[in-house]
Amino acid sequence: MMIIGVLKCTEENLVAIVPKVVSKYTKGGFEILVERGAGEASHYTDDEYEEVGAKVAPRAEILAQSGILLTVTSIGLDELKLVKKGAMIVGKFNGRVESDLLTALKSADAHAFSLDLLPRSTIAQSMDVLSSLASLSGYKAVLLGADNFGGYFPMMTTSAGTIPPAKVLIIGAGVAGLQAIATAKRLGAVVEVFDVRSAVKEEVESLGAKFVEVEGAQESAAAGGYAIQQTEEYIEKQKTLIHQTAAKADVVITTANIPGRKAPLLIEERTVNAMKPGSVIIDMATASGGNVALSKDNATVEVNGVKIIGDTKLYNHMGSQSSFVYSNNIYNFLNFLLKEGIENIPYENEIVTNTLLKVEKEETVSA
C-alpha cells in the first residue's frame, strides 16, 4: 500500500489534505499519514483526521516513509535528504522564481511537482491552485475594502436623504479581479475595471462593471491568459487614466501580476495623494513589488487619510475553505498523474512537463 504523507505548513494557513478528502485517497488504496498539527491553522484537528482513517504521525516518520509527499509552499533543504528515494513531492514552490529550495528540488532524488506552474488549459482547470486561491482572495479583497471604507457600498435611501453607492476601481480582470467585480456588484457598488487584455472586456461587462480601456495594449496568446509587459508609451497612458479614475474612487483593488517578474507599478504616489481621505486601496501584488507606490507586503500604510493594505495571500484569512479547494486541486492532479498507475505517469503531457521540477539540460553546439 502506497503511503501519502501530509506535511505541516508554517508559512500559510493551508493544509494539503482536509479530512473530507481523505476518503477519496483511502478508497483508492492509499494510506494517509498526516503530520501532527498539520491542519490546526486551517481549523482541522488531529482527531478529525483520525476519525476518517488517517494516521497522525511525526514529521520525520512521514518524510522517511511516504511515497508521495504533499506540502504547500516549502520543505526544508536538509529534509530533502530524509525523503524516500524516488518519492513524489507535490506543492506550490513559486517555480518561476529561482531560489535555493527550487534548485534543491530540481536536483533531488525525488520527483518534485510545483502546481503554480500548471498550464492554463481546460484539462488542468480542476487542478489550478492559483486560480482557486485567487478567487478566494478576490472575494476577500472586497470585504476587506468594505470593512475599512467608512461608508455604505450600496445606495441607501433614508429619511435623512440618499447616500450614493461606493465607487470601486478594480485593476486586473483575472480570476481574482473577476471575483472581486462580482462581489463588489453584489454589495451594490458602482464598479469600473482596467485590464490590458481586451479579451476580458465582455466578461467584465457581463458582470455589470464598466470596462475602462486604454488603446494600444500588447497581447500574447502564448501568455496563457496572463498579462504581459507593456510598452512605456502604453504604461504612461494607462497611468494617466488610472490616476483620473482612482482620484474619484472610494475603494481601489489592484491584482496585476506578471508571473516571474516584478509587479507593474500602476498607482503612483501622486495618485494616492489625489484620492479622497477615507478611501481604501487593497494591493494584492505586494509580494512581487506591488502595484501601488508606498504599499508594503502584509502591512497597512496610511497616507493623508488613504489606507493602503498590502496582502498577496488574502486566502490565508479563510484557511478552512482555502485548504478545501487546495486539497481538491491536489487530488485532481494526482488522479490525473496516476490514472494509469505510478509506472505509467504521462511524462510527455504538458501538465507533467510544466510542473515537474528538473535541471534543464545544457544544449551542446557542434562545430
Side-chain angles (χ1 to χ4, degrees), residues 114-326:
S114 190
L115 299 192
D116 53 292
L117 298 175
L118 278 163
R120 287 289 176 89
S121 64
T122 302
I123 194 170
Q125 200 168 20
S126 66
M127 319 166 196
D128 192 347
V129 299
L130 293 186
S131 291
S132 295
L133 297 177
S135 182
L136 290 167
S137 290
Y139 165 79
K140 194 65 176 179
V142 175
L143 299 188
L144 191 60
D147 190 45
N148 282 271
F149 169 57
Y152 287 116
F153 257 43
M155 181 177 72
M156 298 292 288
T157 302
T158 72
S159 58
T162 299
I163 300 172
K167 294 179 181 178
V168 175
L169 170 63
I170 296 170
I171 302 177
V175 175
L178 290 171
Q179 184 59 253
I181 294 166
T183 304
K185 287 299 296 181
R186 282 195 293 266
L187 291 178
V190 172
V191 183
E192 293 184 299
V193 181
F194 278 95
D195 197 291
V196 299
R197 298 161 299 173
S198 59
V200 302
K201 179 179 179 180
E202 186 176 340
E203 196 163 5
V204 165
E205 292 178 340
S206 73
L207 291 171
K210 178 184 177 183
F211 188 73
V212 184
E213 196 166 6
V214 183
E215 293 183 359
Q218 294 186 359
E219 302 185 49
S220 171
Y226 291 103
I228 63 171
Q229 188 67 36
Q230 299 296 316
T231 64
E232 288 298 321
E233 181 184 1
Y234 176 88
I235 290 171
E236 287 307 311
K237 286 164 64 178
Q238 183 186 47
K239 284 180 179 177
T240 299
L241 197 49
I242 286 175
H243 174 79
Q244 295 169 350
T245 310
K248 303 172 186 175
D250 298 301
V251 176
V252 177
I253 297 171
T254 69
T255 72
N257 273 298
I258 300 172
R261 301 190 63 170
K262 190 176 186 296
L265 180 65
L266 300 174
I267 302 287
E268 299 175 303
E269 187 172 348
R270 70 185 180 106
T271 305
V272 175
N273 289 326
M275 292 179 68
K276 298 173 290 187
S279 53
V280 181
I281 304 173
I282 311 293
D283 188 347
M284 295 175 62
T286 45
S288 54
N291 297 143
V292 183
L294 308 174
S295 67
K296 293 182 180 179
D297 197 26
N298 298 318
T300 299
V301 178
E302 190 161 335
V303 180
N304 297 328
V306 177
K307 278 187 181 178
I308 307 172
I309 301 170
D311 195 335
T312 299
K313 299 176 180 178
L314 285 165
Y315 56 81
N316 263 326
H317 298 276
M318 298 174 286
S320 178
Q321 291 88 348
S322 297
S323 293
F324 177 74
V325 297
Y326 182 63

